[in-house]
Amino acid sequence: MPIRFEKVSYTYGKKTPFEYQALKDINLEILEGSFTAIVGHTGSGKSTLIQHLNGLLLPEEGRVVIADFVLEAKKTIKNIKALRKQVGIVFQFPEYQLFESTVLKDVMFAPKNFGATEEEAKAKAQKALELVKIPPSYYEKSPFALSGGERRRVAIAGILAMEPKILVLDEPTAGLDPKGIDEMMHLFKEIHDKGTTVILVSHDMDVVLEYAEKVIVLQDGKVLKIASPTELFQDENFESYSLEMPIVYQFAVALIKKGIAIDLTKVKNPETLAKEIVKARDVK
Protein backbone atom coordinates (compact mmCIF):
# COMPACT_ATOMS: atom_id res chain seq x y z
CA MET A 1 0.00 0.00 0.00
CA PRO A 2 1.92 3.07 -1.22
CA ILE A 3 1.23 6.38 0.52
CA ARG A 4 1.08 9.84 -1.05
CA PHE A 5 0.64 13.23 0.58
CA GLU A 6 -0.47 15.77 -2.00
CA LYS A 7 -0.26 19.45 -0.96
CA VAL A 8 -1.44 18.57 2.57
CA SER A 9 -1.87 21.34 5.12
CA TYR A 10 -3.38 21.19 8.60
CA THR A 11 -4.12 23.89 11.18
CA TYR A 12 -5.06 23.43 14.82
CA GLY A 13 -7.49 25.84 16.49
CA LYS A 14 -8.62 27.43 13.23
CA LYS A 15 -9.97 30.96 13.73
CA THR A 16 -9.14 31.00 17.44
CA PRO A 17 -6.38 32.80 19.38
CA PHE A 18 -4.58 29.42 19.51
CA GLU A 19 -4.46 28.90 15.73
CA TYR A 20 -1.33 27.01 14.71
CA GLN A 21 -0.44 25.60 11.31
CA ALA A 22 1.20 22.23 11.95
CA LEU A 23 1.57 21.06 8.33
CA LYS A 24 2.28 23.30 5.35
CA ASP A 25 1.87 22.04 1.78
CA ILE A 26 3.29 18.57 2.40
CA ASN A 27 4.18 16.56 -0.70
CA LEU A 28 5.80 13.17 -0.26
CA GLU A 29 5.55 9.49 -1.13
CA ILE A 30 6.26 6.49 1.06
CA LEU A 31 6.86 3.31 -0.90
CA GLU A 32 5.12 0.05 -0.15
CA GLY A 33 7.31 -2.31 1.86
CA SER A 34 9.75 0.41 2.88
CA PHE A 35 11.18 1.23 6.32
CA THR A 36 10.87 5.01 6.53
CA ALA A 37 11.82 7.28 9.42
CA ILE A 38 10.19 10.65 10.09
CA VAL A 39 12.40 12.97 12.11
CA GLY A 40 12.47 16.58 13.26
CA HIS A 41 12.59 18.63 16.42
CA THR A 42 9.59 18.88 18.76
CA GLY A 43 6.77 20.78 17.07
CA SER A 44 7.95 20.03 13.53
CA GLY A 45 4.70 18.24 12.63
CA LYS A 46 5.66 14.56 12.95
CA SER A 47 2.73 13.40 15.11
CA THR A 48 0.26 15.49 13.10
CA LEU A 49 1.54 13.90 9.91
CA ILE A 50 1.13 10.30 11.05
CA GLN A 51 -2.39 10.95 12.38
CA HIS A 52 -3.38 11.62 8.76
CA LEU A 53 -2.47 8.04 7.87
CA ASN A 54 -5.62 6.43 9.25
CA GLY A 55 -8.08 9.29 9.38
CA LEU A 56 -7.56 10.44 12.96
CA LEU A 57 -7.00 13.80 11.28
CA LEU A 58 -8.15 14.89 7.83
CA PRO A 59 -6.26 17.41 5.68
CA GLU A 60 -7.40 21.00 5.83
CA GLU A 61 -6.08 21.29 2.29
CA GLY A 62 -4.84 18.67 -0.16
CA ARG A 63 -5.32 14.93 0.20
CA VAL A 64 -3.70 11.73 1.45
CA VAL A 65 -3.88 8.69 -0.83
CA ILE A 66 -3.23 5.23 0.61
CA ALA A 67 -3.82 2.55 -2.03
CA ASP A 68 -7.56 2.96 -2.86
CA PHE A 69 -8.30 5.15 0.18
CA VAL A 70 -8.47 8.92 -0.27
CA LEU A 71 -8.59 11.28 2.71
CA GLU A 72 -9.69 14.85 2.00
CA ALA A 73 -11.12 17.77 3.94
CA LYS A 74 -14.87 17.80 4.53
CA LYS A 75 -15.36 14.45 2.79
CA THR A 76 -16.72 11.42 4.60
CA ILE A 77 -14.58 8.31 4.35
CA LYS A 78 -17.12 5.53 3.97
CA ASN A 79 -14.59 2.76 4.46
CA ILE A 80 -12.61 4.35 7.31
CA LYS A 81 -12.81 1.14 9.36
CA ALA A 82 -11.17 -0.82 6.54
CA LEU A 83 -8.39 1.77 6.36
CA ARG A 84 -7.76 1.59 10.10
CA LYS A 85 -7.46 -2.17 9.87
CA GLN A 86 -4.72 -1.76 7.28
CA VAL A 87 -2.86 1.07 9.06
CA GLY A 88 -1.92 0.29 12.66
CA ILE A 89 -0.54 3.13 14.75
CA VAL A 90 1.51 2.41 17.87
CA PHE A 91 1.50 5.65 19.83
CA GLN A 92 4.18 6.70 22.29
CA PHE A 93 3.81 4.72 25.55
CA PRO A 94 1.16 2.37 24.06
CA GLU A 95 1.01 0.48 27.36
CA TYR A 96 -1.21 3.28 28.66
CA GLN A 97 -3.92 2.01 26.29
CA LEU A 98 -4.26 -1.40 27.96
CA PHE A 99 -7.62 -1.92 29.64
CA GLU A 100 -8.79 -5.55 29.63
CA SER A 101 -8.66 -7.99 32.56
CA THR A 102 -6.21 -10.39 30.87
CA VAL A 103 -3.39 -10.15 28.35
CA LEU A 104 -5.17 -12.40 25.85
CA LYS A 105 -8.46 -10.49 26.03
CA ASP A 106 -6.68 -7.20 25.51
CA VAL A 107 -4.92 -8.38 22.35
CA MET A 108 -8.13 -10.02 21.07
CA PHE A 109 -10.06 -6.76 21.29
CA ALA A 110 -8.86 -5.22 18.00
CA PRO A 111 -9.52 -8.20 15.71
CA LYS A 112 -12.94 -8.72 17.33
CA ASN A 113 -13.69 -5.04 16.78
CA PHE A 114 -12.93 -5.53 13.09
CA GLY A 115 -15.33 -8.47 12.76
CA ALA A 116 -13.30 -11.56 13.66
CA THR A 117 -15.06 -14.38 15.49
CA GLU A 118 -14.00 -15.32 19.00
CA GLU A 119 -11.87 -18.19 17.72
CA GLU A 120 -10.36 -16.13 14.90
CA ALA A 121 -9.54 -13.30 17.30
CA LYS A 122 -7.95 -15.73 19.73
CA ALA A 123 -5.77 -17.25 17.00
CA LYS A 124 -4.67 -13.79 15.78
CA ALA A 125 -3.94 -12.67 19.35
CA GLN A 126 -1.86 -15.76 20.12
CA LYS A 127 0.11 -15.29 16.91
CA ALA A 128 0.79 -11.64 17.74
CA LEU A 129 1.79 -12.44 21.32
CA GLU A 130 4.17 -15.11 20.09
CA LEU A 131 5.70 -12.58 17.71
CA VAL A 132 6.42 -10.11 20.53
CA LYS A 133 7.74 -12.98 22.68
CA ILE A 134 5.05 -12.98 25.37
CA PRO A 135 4.81 -16.63 26.59
CA PRO A 136 1.47 -18.49 26.97
CA SER A 137 1.91 -18.51 30.75
CA TYR A 138 1.19 -14.75 30.65
CA TYR A 139 -2.06 -14.93 28.65
CA GLU A 140 -4.39 -15.11 31.66
CA LYS A 141 -2.47 -12.57 33.71
CA SER A 142 -3.62 -9.00 34.13
CA PRO A 143 -1.60 -6.78 31.78
CA PHE A 144 -1.15 -4.39 34.70
CA ALA A 145 0.77 -7.07 36.62
CA LEU A 146 3.51 -7.12 33.97
CA SER A 147 6.70 -5.11 33.79
CA GLY A 148 6.77 -1.89 31.78
CA GLY A 149 8.54 -3.52 28.84
CA GLU A 150 6.16 -6.48 28.86
CA ARG A 151 3.13 -4.17 28.90
CA ARG A 152 4.50 -2.34 25.89
CA ARG A 153 4.93 -5.63 24.03
CA VAL A 154 1.34 -6.63 24.83
CA ALA A 155 0.07 -3.26 23.59
CA ILE A 156 2.04 -3.66 20.35
CA ALA A 157 0.65 -7.18 19.97
CA GLY A 158 -2.82 -5.61 20.09
CA ILE A 159 -1.95 -3.63 16.96
CA LEU A 160 -0.21 -6.55 15.24
CA ALA A 161 -3.24 -8.76 15.80
CA MET A 162 -5.07 -6.64 13.21
CA GLU A 163 -2.43 -7.79 10.70
CA PRO A 164 -1.91 -4.27 9.31
CA LYS A 165 -0.11 -3.73 6.03
CA ILE A 166 1.31 -0.46 7.35
CA LEU A 167 2.74 -0.20 10.86
CA VAL A 168 3.26 3.34 12.18
CA LEU A 169 5.48 3.72 15.26
CA ASP A 170 5.51 6.95 17.25
CA GLU A 171 8.68 6.97 19.42
CA PRO A 172 8.34 3.24 20.24
CA THR A 173 11.62 3.09 22.15
CA ALA A 174 10.93 6.07 24.44
CA GLY A 175 11.83 5.28 28.03
CA LEU A 176 13.48 1.94 27.25
CA ASP A 177 17.01 0.96 28.27
CA PRO A 178 19.55 0.00 25.53
CA LYS A 179 18.66 -3.71 25.77
CA GLY A 180 14.96 -2.90 25.50
CA ILE A 181 15.59 -0.66 22.49
CA ASP A 182 17.53 -3.42 20.70
CA GLU A 183 14.81 -5.99 21.39
CA MET A 184 12.02 -3.67 20.27
CA MET A 185 13.74 -2.58 17.07
CA HIS A 186 14.72 -6.15 16.15
CA LEU A 187 11.03 -7.02 16.47
CA PHE A 188 10.03 -4.21 14.08
CA LYS A 189 12.78 -5.23 11.66
CA GLU A 190 11.45 -8.78 11.69
CA ILE A 191 7.93 -7.49 10.94
CA HIS A 192 9.29 -5.32 8.13
CA ASP A 193 11.22 -8.23 6.64
CA LYS A 194 7.93 -10.11 6.30
CA GLY A 195 6.57 -7.39 3.99
CA THR A 196 4.98 -4.82 6.27
CA THR A 197 5.57 -1.15 5.52
CA VAL A 198 7.07 0.44 8.66
CA ILE A 199 6.96 4.17 9.38
CA LEU A 200 9.03 5.20 12.38
CA VAL A 201 8.88 8.53 14.19
CA SER A 202 11.98 8.86 16.34
CA HIS A 203 14.40 11.27 18.00
CA ASP A 204 16.98 8.48 18.28
CA MET A 205 19.29 8.98 15.32
CA ASP A 206 21.26 5.81 16.10
CA VAL A 207 18.03 3.84 15.59
CA VAL A 208 17.32 5.77 12.39
CA LEU A 209 20.83 5.08 11.06
CA GLU A 210 20.61 1.35 11.75
CA TYR A 211 17.09 0.57 10.54
CA ALA A 212 15.68 3.21 8.18
CA GLU A 213 16.00 3.04 4.41
CA LYS A 214 14.71 6.59 3.87
CA VAL A 215 14.44 9.55 6.23
CA ILE A 216 11.90 12.37 5.97
CA VAL A 217 13.04 15.49 7.79
CA LEU A 218 10.29 17.86 8.93
CA GLN A 219 10.87 21.39 10.13
CA ASP A 220 8.17 23.92 11.02
CA GLY A 221 5.51 21.81 9.32
CA LYS A 222 7.38 21.46 6.03
CA VAL A 223 9.36 18.68 4.38
CA LEU A 224 12.95 19.87 4.57
CA LYS A 225 14.71 16.82 3.13
CA ILE A 226 14.14 13.24 2.02
CA ALA A 227 17.28 11.11 1.91
CA SER A 228 18.94 7.88 2.96
CA PRO A 229 20.43 7.98 6.49
CA THR A 230 23.97 8.19 5.09
CA GLU A 231 23.03 11.07 2.77
CA LEU A 232 21.33 12.88 5.65
CA PHE A 233 24.22 12.58 8.10
CA GLN A 234 26.75 13.62 5.44
CA ASP A 235 24.72 16.68 4.46
CA GLU A 236 26.77 19.84 4.98
CA ASN A 237 23.61 21.54 6.26
CA PHE A 238 22.90 18.83 8.85
CA GLU A 239 23.42 21.12 11.84
CA SER A 240 20.56 23.35 10.66
CA TYR A 241 18.10 20.43 10.96
CA SER A 242 18.20 20.49 14.79
CA LEU A 243 19.00 16.76 14.92
CA GLU A 244 21.61 14.84 16.92
CA MET A 245 24.29 13.06 14.94
CA PRO A 246 24.28 9.30 15.72
CA ILE A 247 26.94 8.44 18.30
CA VAL A 248 28.35 5.57 16.24
CA TYR A 249 28.53 7.88 13.21
CA GLN A 250 30.34 10.58 15.19
CA PHE A 251 32.90 8.00 16.27
CA ALA A 252 33.35 6.77 12.70
CA VAL A 253 33.95 10.32 11.44
CA ALA A 254 36.47 10.91 14.22
CA LEU A 255 38.37 7.78 13.18
CA ILE A 256 38.41 8.92 9.55
CA LYS A 257 39.95 12.22 10.68
CA LYS A 258 42.64 10.14 12.37
CA GLY A 259 43.48 8.52 9.04
CA ILE A 260 41.54 5.25 9.37
CA ALA A 261 39.88 4.34 6.06
CA ILE A 262 36.24 3.67 6.92
CA ASP A 263 33.39 3.44 4.43
CA LEU A 264 30.63 5.49 6.07
CA THR A 265 27.99 3.89 3.85
CA LYS A 266 28.69 0.59 5.62
CA VAL A 267 28.39 1.99 9.17
CA LYS A 268 24.97 1.23 10.69
CA ASN A 269 25.79 0.23 14.28
CA PRO A 270 28.79 -0.63 16.51
CA GLU A 271 29.10 -4.08 14.91
CA THR A 272 29.40 -2.77 11.35
CA LEU A 273 31.80 -0.05 12.51
CA ALA A 274 33.99 -2.71 14.13
CA LYS A 275 34.07 -4.64 10.84
CA GLU A 276 35.18 -1.48 9.02
CA ILE A 277 37.95 -0.92 11.57
CA VAL A 278 39.18 -4.51 11.16
CA LYS A 279 39.06 -4.16 7.38
CA ALA A 280 41.10 -0.95 7.52
CA ARG A 281 43.66 -2.61 9.81
CA ASP A 282 43.98 -5.62 7.50
CA VAL A 283 44.57 -3.35 4.47
CA LYS A 284 47.49 -1.75 6.29
Side-chain angles (χ1 to χ4, degrees):
M1 298 179 73
I3 300 165
R4 292 198 317 275
F5 281 73
E6 300 174 354
K7 299 184 179 299
V8 172
S9 295
Y10 187 83
T11 301
Y12 290 103
K14 190 76 171 176
K15 297 181 180 179
T16 75
F18 305 103
E19 182 172 321
Y20 171 70
Q21 190 171 16
L23 298 180
K24 305 169 185 176
D25 196 32
I26 297 289
N27 290 284
L28 61 86
E29 182 174 11
I30 298 174
L31 299 178
E32 183 174 3
S34 65
F35 198 124
T36 300
I38 301 175
V39 303
H41 60 77
T42 301
S44 60
K46 304 184 299 296
S47 292
T48 301
L49 183 78
I50 64 171
Q51 288 182 66
H52 280 75
L53 291 172
N54 72 349
L56 290 174
L57 294 177
L58 293 177
E60 177 189 14
E61 297 176 12
R63 67 179 193 162
V64 180
V65 181
I66 304 173
D68 296 328
F69 302 97
V70 179
L71 292 80
E72 296 180 274
K74 299 178 181 178
K75 289 193 176 181
T76 302
I77 308 171
K78 295 180 180 179
N79 50 355
I80 187 68
K81 195 168 184 178
L83 172 63
R84 288 176 176 167
K85 185 178 185 300
Q86 300 297 333
V87 182
I89 299 182
V90 178
F91 289 104
Q92 191 173 3
F93 303 113
E95 57 268 29
Y96 294 165
Q97 300 163 217
L98 300 172
F99 67 96
E100 273 284 10
S101 58
T102 72
V103 165
L104 187 60
K105 286 182 179 179
D106 207 294
V107 180
M108 287 174 62
F109 177 81
K112 286 177 69 175
N113 190 47
F114 285 108
T117 65
E118 185 80 12
E119 287 304 310
E120 289 171 341
K122 185 175 182 180
K124 290 176 184 290
Q126 290 174 336
K127 180 180 177 181
L129 286 164
E130 181 180 350
L131 187 59
V132 301
K133 297 180 173 57
I134 294 294
S137 59
Y138 281 50
Y139 292 0
E140 297 306 317
K141 289 185 177 182
S142 166
F144 306 106
L146 307 184
S147 70
E150 290 165 345
R151 288 199 301 272
R152 184 167 300 187
R153 288 177 177 275
V154 170
I156 292 170
I159 302 297
L160 298 180
M162 299 189 304
E163 300 175 335
K165 293 184 178 178
I166 299 170
L167 182 62
V168 184
L169 308 165
D170 189 0
E171 299 286 358
T173 60
L176 298 179
D177 60 22
K179 183 174 184 293
I181 291 173
D182 284 345
E183 290 176 349
M184 195 64 67
M185 291 310 304
H186 278 107
L187 165 64
F188 298 137
K189 178 65 164 60
E190 181 181 345
I191 292 167
H192 170 253
D193 288 345
K194 292 179 179 178
T196 302
T197 302
V198 174
I199 300 171
L200 169 73
V201 173
S202 182
H203 283 96
D204 189 332
M205 293 301 107
D206 283 277
V207 165
V208 170
L209 173 63
E210 182 168 359
Y211 293 97
E213 299 164 349
K214 285 290 182 184
V215 187
I216 298 168
V217 182
L218 296 184
Q219 191 173 86
D220 299 325
K222 298 179 180 179
V223 174
L224 202 60
K225 187 178 184 69
I226 300 176
S228 70
T230 300
E231 291 168 342
L232 173 63
F233 300 130
Q234 289 183 330
D235 190 332
E236 61 183 14
N237 297 314
F238 180 79
E239 289 186 5
S240 69
Y241 301 155
S242 301
L243 301 171
E244 292 286 336
M245 185 71 73
I247 295 172
V248 69
Y249 205 84
Q250 292 180 47
F251 190 48
V253 170
L255 291 175
I256 290 173
K257 289 179 179 178
K258 293 292 185 179
I260 300 175
I262 290 174
D263 183 352
L264 284 173
T265 64
K266 302 288 180 61
V267 176
K268 297 293 182 183
N269 51 37
E271 290 75 19
T272 52
L273 175 57
K275 289 179 181 178
E276 283 298 301
I277 294 171
V278 170
K279 189 187 300 182
R281 181 199 64 189
D282 291 343
V283 169
K284 287 185 176 181

